[in-house]
Amino acid sequence: MDDIVMRRYTRQLLETLSETEVKLTERALIRHINSLRSNSMPTYDFEVELCYVQDEIQRRRAYSKSEE
């Protein structure tokens, strides 16, 4: 299983990732969640991590807009 998918995304870790890494992480988690759902497996833990990643994406968008 992907190292990206198995990580625990703390605020500290997310702040160190580049914009590209955050977006790749989001896509990898979404693919993994969809795969688990198609096999009727639990997705909750991965959905929580996805929420953290998506929150970081939203924070970065808000921050970049405030700098304009």
Side-chain angles (χ1 to χ4, degrees):
M1 193 174 298
D2 252 347
D3 183 43
I4 289 174
V5 173
M6 295 309 295
R7 284 186 188 167
R8 293 293 175 218
Y9 289 94
T10 63
R11 171 73 41 222
Q12 194 173 29
L13 173 60
L14 287 166
E15 288 174 350
T16 65
L17 297 178
S18 71
E19 190 76 23
T20 302
E21 290 172 315
V22 173
K23 289 178 182 178
L24 287 173
T25 299
E26 178 189 33
R27 282 184 255 158
L29 284 166
I30 289 170
R31 278 193 311 273
H32 187 66
I33 289 167
N34 288 337
S35 174
L36 290 173
R37 283 183 181 152
S38 69
N39 292 309
S40 300
M41 297 177 73
T43 61
Y44 180 81
D45 292 337
F46 298 102
E47 289 179 57
V48 169
E49 296 304 318
L50 177 60
C51 286
Y52 292 141
V53 171
Q54 289 176 332
D55 180 64
E56 179 64 20
I57 291 169
Q58 290 174 356
R59 286 176 187 269
R60 290 179 185 203
R61 282 187 193 137
Y63 183 74
S64 68
K65 285 181 183 179
S66 69
E67 288 186 336
E68 293 174 355

